[in-house]
Amino acid sequence: MANKDEIKKVILDIAGNPVSGAIKDLADAWADAIVSLDTKTPYRAKAKDGDGDGKVQDGTAFERPAKETRETKPTESR
């Protein structure tokens, strides 16, 4: 079986050797996951904070959504 560097090189070659973008960013993680299939070592994805706000991803189970408040009666008086 190929090692991580060889797998990453093939992933990038197939994608056209991008210098930036999602494929370039994820090639390492994909190579790790592929290598783990052959080594019987379970691959665990690491959560990343993409936008720097301290949350892994907006709307995931790791954070509580803001409580929604609904108005059931009119607040105006005429």
Side-chain angles (χ1 to χ4, degrees), residues 3-78:
N3 63 18
K4 178 185 172 188
D5 293 329
E6 293 170 340
I7 294 171
K8 180 180 175 184
K9 182 181 180 304
V10 169
I11 290 170
L12 293 174
D13 285 344
I14 291 171
N17 292 318
V19 294
S20 65
I23 295 174
K24 174 78 172 167
D25 294 340
L26 295 172
D28 281 323
W30 291 341
D32 284 335
I34 293 168
V35 168
S36 73
L37 292 174
D38 196 40
T39 61
K40 306 292 185 203
T41 309
Y43 175 72
R44 302 271 187 230
K46 296 174 187 75
K48 293 182 181 178
D49 179 16
D51 56 0
D53 64 351
K55 299 176 185 173
V56 176
Q57 181 179 355
D58 294 330
T60 61
F62 301 111
E63 64 184 56
R64 295 182 148 244
K67 183 162 174 80
E68 185 176 314
T69 316
R70 296 188 182 205
E71 295 292 330
T72 57
K73 297 179 183 176
T75 57
E76 299 175 354
S77 60
R78 295 184 181 209

